[in-house]
Amino acid sequence: MKETKIPYSFFYFGPFLWKSKVTSDITECILQKGKEQKFNFRSHLAGQIKKEFLFNKKTAGVIWKKLTPWIKSYFYAQKKEWGVGCIKWKPLNLWINYQNQHEYNPQHIHSGDYSFVVYCDVPKKLKKEIEQNIKETNCAGPGCILFSYGDLDTQRGIAQAEVMPENNLMLMFPSYLRHQVYPFKTKCTRISISGNIDVVTESLK
């Protein structure tokens, strides 16, 4: 099709899905503190994962403080790129996930206004399974997270975003954004944390 010389602009449509990298000292702290958590949070979560523990208030406070610069960065970027600001935010809950062989998260949404995930330990064995899967299919698959929004129309729009886990990767998004996590076959444990946030946005003044 021949290009026509007509000025135009377009909308970045959909929820603001953001990614960044936290520092390794944060994930090391999370891994250490995660071993101390005892409160089984499974009944509050969608995951078909046996070991999901809520951080106690004191430990959660330490982690929230460490993650605050990244959370602020998300809201700054959302304001800059999407035009949606944030007056203030407050933490809701924070939990750690130990995903093992054959376990998975079905498609679901979160409570609160915004959510995030931080990958703390992605075993090399799992990375090899992912790399092999990429060679054989057009889906990243094992241990990866898939975000879905709107009606699926692969001809005229982008309705899905698939992200491969890696150490220190942080993803943040509006809590209503549907997402799921694929199971994997490798005998290993992939460790991540998730959290929910409440905010007051400028549009709600």
Side-chain angles (χ1 to χ4, degrees):
M1 180 182 294
K2 187 177 181 181
E3 180 183 1
T4 55
K5 303 295 183 180
I6 298 176
Y8 68 91
S9 62
F10 63 94
F11 294 94
Y12 290 92
F13 185 71
F16 189 57
L17 174 59
W18 169 96
K19 70 176 180 178
S20 184
K21 280 287 195 77
V22 302
T23 54
S24 58
D25 64 295
I26 293 178
T27 51
E28 288 170 7
C29 172
I30 291 169
L31 289 170
Q32 184 60 42
K33 296 295 184 181
K35 297 175 183 177
E36 304 169 4
Q37 307 313 305
K38 304 298 182 183
F39 186 85
N40 190 327
F41 204 43
R42 284 198 70 195
S43 62
H44 300 271
L45 303 172
Q48 300 302 301
I49 297 174
K50 289 183 179 179
K51 296 176 66 177
E52 296 179 298
F53 302 109
L54 183 71
F55 282 99
N56 62 54
K57 187 174 181 180
K58 182 178 180 181
T59 302
V62 171
I63 298 172
W64 280 113
K65 186 175 181 179
K66 289 180 178 293
L67 291 177
T68 291
W70 281 266
I71 295 170
K72 287 183 176 180
S73 176
Y74 173 89
F75 289 121
Y76 173 83
Q78 183 184 240
K79 174 65 175 177
K80 179 182 177 183
E81 306 293 347
W82 248 237
V84 179
C86 171
I87 297 174
K88 59 183 179 180
W89 63 273
K90 64 177 182 179
L92 289 180
N93 41 36
L94 184 71
W95 65 97
I96 189 164
N97 311 284
Y98 296 90
Q99 183 183 359
N100 288 301
Q101 181 185 35
H102 304 313
E103 295 183 329
Y104 66 96
N105 252 309
Q107 188 176 92
H108 64 288
I109 60 174
H110 283 202
S111 59
D113 293 310
Y114 289 86
S115 301
F116 66 84
V117 59
V118 177
Y119 296 99
C120 304
D121 187 8
V122 182
K124 291 181 180 179
K125 292 191 293 184
L126 176 55
K127 291 181 181 179
K128 288 183 179 179
E129 182 180 347
I130 294 172
E131 290 170 0
Q132 184 61 38
N133 186 83
I134 292 172
K135 293 178 182 177
E136 297 173 353
T137 74
N138 64 356
C139 172
C144 296
I145 186 168
L146 172 70
F147 294 93
S148 304
Y149 179 74
D151 296 325
L152 182 60
D153 187 339
T154 57
Q155 298 298 316
R156 290 167 290 274
I158 300 173
Q160 297 186 153
E162 196 172 48
V163 183
M164 290 184 286
E166 56 181 292
N167 290 343
N168 306 320
L169 176 66
M170 179 175 180
L171 303 171
M172 190 163 168
F173 48 93
S175 58
Y176 63 81
L177 181 58
R178 299 188 302 274
H179 57 287
Q180 65 190 76
V181 180
Y182 299 121
F184 49 84
K185 297 177 181 179
T186 303
K187 192 172 183 180
C188 65
T189 302
R190 195 204 70 172
I191 305 174
S192 64
I193 64 165
S194 298
N196 296 326
I197 293 170
D198 262 349
V199 303
V200 177
T201 61
E202 292 177 351
S203 61
L204 296 180
K205 279 191 193 178

